[in-house]
Amino acid sequence: MIPIAKPLLGSDEVWAVTDAIMSGIIAEGPRVAEFEQAFADHIGVEHAIAVNSGTAALHAALLAHGIGGGDEVITTPFTFIATSNSILFTGARPVFADIDDDTFNINPDAIMEKITPKTKSILPVHLYGHPAEMNAIMEIAEDHNLAVIEDACQAHSAVYDRKKVGSFGTGTFSFYPTKNMTTSEGGMITTNDQNIADRARMIRSHGSRQRYVHEMLGYNFRMTDISASIGLVQLNKLDEFTRKRQSNAEYLSNGLKGVNGITVPIMRCNCEHVFHQYTIRAKDRDELVKTLTEKGVGTGIYYPVPTHKQPFYQELGYNDSMPKCEKAASEVISLPVHPSVTQNELDYIIEVIKGAE
């Protein structure tokens, strides 16, 4: 089976973890601080705050911006449920806006239709590694005095208009094993705002900046030095991983262009897509998934049930119509694109899909 995702960990990571363990400092310590600085430099921001998951990064970022009960946050329903759940964690309400057909990202025009006096923030997702339309989103946010919190959990190193995502508003990243780089579990908040950074650091550590002095309600969202040691090694490999993903994606697109019933992913001219997922549209998606599975090709459907259609959100009273999102959910299929996929495997994937026409 050609897996849909595969973390690439080797002896460098093993030795880094061993060194962390042998140092005797295995909770948050100097390696976390080093990883934070290295990641901030990579994204091009002043501050990076390491936490223990992408979900914690989203939650803490929202809280750091003062999002809470009675507030509304506009986001996309076409993403992993952690995005909107993090809004609920704060007591605020997610408000869903439909997506763009080509990139699957939130549509700025749809955002405009959802703004109310209760709106406090826009939370775009850079889905599959393709940046959202940040210039338009930032302009909307400025016009309406809204915070922008970027869900870049699938978009490490993605670029929009010569800037890395996570540097426009407050960025949030995930280092889950299937992501473009990993710390096993982990997350990061990025910002140029000193106040947001200070609040995020307190929120991740029981509301404290001084031991046993607690200034606000906080959580235990801290990253360990063991995780950070993996992250430092992975960050050094990220550019290489990204180039390989992009090369694999280009090869797949060249091989699949013109195949009946298949639409390959696009990349906007002012963007650099990092292909966390290589996602096509297929008119007979379920039959193609069955064929690929039978032929030993791993696939993923991200996401078969949009957030506003999830049972829990239905219970909360969400009954919006999101036609573009719902159509995408019935057609998308992701194919292996990770750095360890070989050219022979890519040829085989293309051959299987062509044979399924």
Side-chain angles (χ1 to χ4, degrees), residues 67-191:
I67 305 298
D71 294 337
E72 293 179 348
V73 177
I74 299 173
T75 192
T76 170
F78 196 54
T79 183
F80 185 54
I81 201 167
T83 305
S84 55
N85 279 358
S86 298
I87 299 167
L88 291 178
F89 295 160
T90 71
R93 180 176 176 81
V95 173
F96 296 119
D98 212 349
I99 63 171
D100 172 74
D101 277 323
D102 292 331
T103 66
F104 306 106
N105 285 322
I106 193 167
N107 187 321
D109 291 336
I111 292 173
M112 287 293 298
E113 297 171 2
K114 300 291 183 174
I115 294 174
T116 75
K118 294 182 179 181
T119 307
K120 292 296 186 294
S121 177
I122 305 170
L123 205 170
V125 177
H126 305 295
L127 196 70
Y128 305 142
H130 190 296
E133 291 289 341
M134 291 311 300
N135 285 345
I137 290 169
M138 295 305 292
E139 184 176 338
I140 293 168
E142 185 175 350
D143 288 346
H144 293 85
N145 193 30
L146 305 175
V148 174
I149 298 168
E150 302 173 66
D151 183 337
C153 290
Q154 300 182 6
H156 315 69
S157 291
V159 174
Y160 178 91
D161 201 16
R162 299 182 297 277
K163 286 180 63 177
K164 284 195 171 80
V165 300
S167 67
F168 291 85
T170 296
T172 59
F173 294 83
S174 168
F175 303 124
Y176 186 73
T178 60
K179 295 299 193 288
N180 292 30
M181 61 168 286
T182 186
T183 60
S184 73
E185 277 276 16
M188 192 75 77
I189 301 163
T190 54
T191 181

Side-chain angles (χ1 to χ4, degrees), residues 234-246:
Q234 288 271 296
L235 184 59
N236 284 333
K237 298 178 179 180
L238 181 56
D239 288 345
E240 178 188 349
F241 289 166
T242 300
R243 286 191 294 269
K244 184 60 174 171
R245 284 178 179 274
Q246 291 168 334

Side-chain angles (χ1 to χ4, degrees), residues 54-64 86-87 89-90 172 189 203 219 221:
T55 305
L58 284 161
H59 187 185
L62 287 157
L63 291 173
S86 298
I87 299 167
F89 295 160
T90 71
T172 59
I189 301 163
I203 289 163
Y219 301 82
F221 287 162

Side-chain angles (χ1 to χ4, degrees), residues 9 14 53 59 79 87 104 110 144 147 163 170 197 206 218-219 222 233 239 257 270 292 325 331:
L9 299 166
V14 170
S53 73
H59 187 185
T79 183
I87 299 167
F104 306 106
H144 293 85
K163 286 180 63 177
T170 296
H206 299 289
Y219 301 82
R222 293 173 299 217
V233 176
D239 288 345
K257 280 176 183 173
N270 61 338
L292 286 163
C325 168
E331 294 180 346

